[in-house]
Amino acid sequence: MFETVKKILEDELQIDPDTISLYSELSADLGINSIELANLVMLCEDKFDITIEDEDIHRFITVGDVVEFLESR
């Protein structure tokens, strides 16, 4: 799952893959803003055919948080 999320970040948001780890903070480390986060959420919803609620998005601090959430679905 991590590799899939990493690929989305790399391909869709043009994040340098060398900077992406499970512990990378989406905003502080990767520079993702709220619009890019919304885009990431939509891409994950489409790729995994799930719905991510607004209250879940607020828990996405690190790449690992996103991976953990997706694995729980």
Side-chain angles (χ1 to χ4, degrees):
M1 185 64 69
F2 168 70
E3 289 302 322
T4 304
V5 172
K6 181 177 178 180
K7 191 79 173 141
I8 291 171
L9 290 167
E10 178 183 354
D11 293 347
E12 302 295 334
L13 300 179
Q14 281 71 54
I15 307 276
D16 178 358
D18 294 334
T19 64
I20 303 169
S21 77
L22 281 173
Y23 307 104
S24 300
E25 290 190 12
L26 298 171
S27 179
D29 297 330
L30 302 180
I32 292 176
N33 62 35
S34 58
I35 294 170
E36 292 168 324
L37 179 59
N39 190 24
L40 173 63
V41 167
M42 287 187 294
L43 291 164
C44 288
E45 286 177 328
D46 290 345
K47 178 145 189 86
F48 300 107
D49 194 30
I50 60 171
T51 299
I52 302 173
E53 302 297 332
D54 289 345
E55 58 268 11
D56 294 320
I57 297 169
H58 298 294
R59 291 189 232 149
F60 295 167
I61 306 300
T62 67
V63 173
D65 295 335
V66 177
V67 169
E68 185 179 306
F69 176 84
L70 294 172
E71 287 177 341
S72 73
R73 298 295 183 253

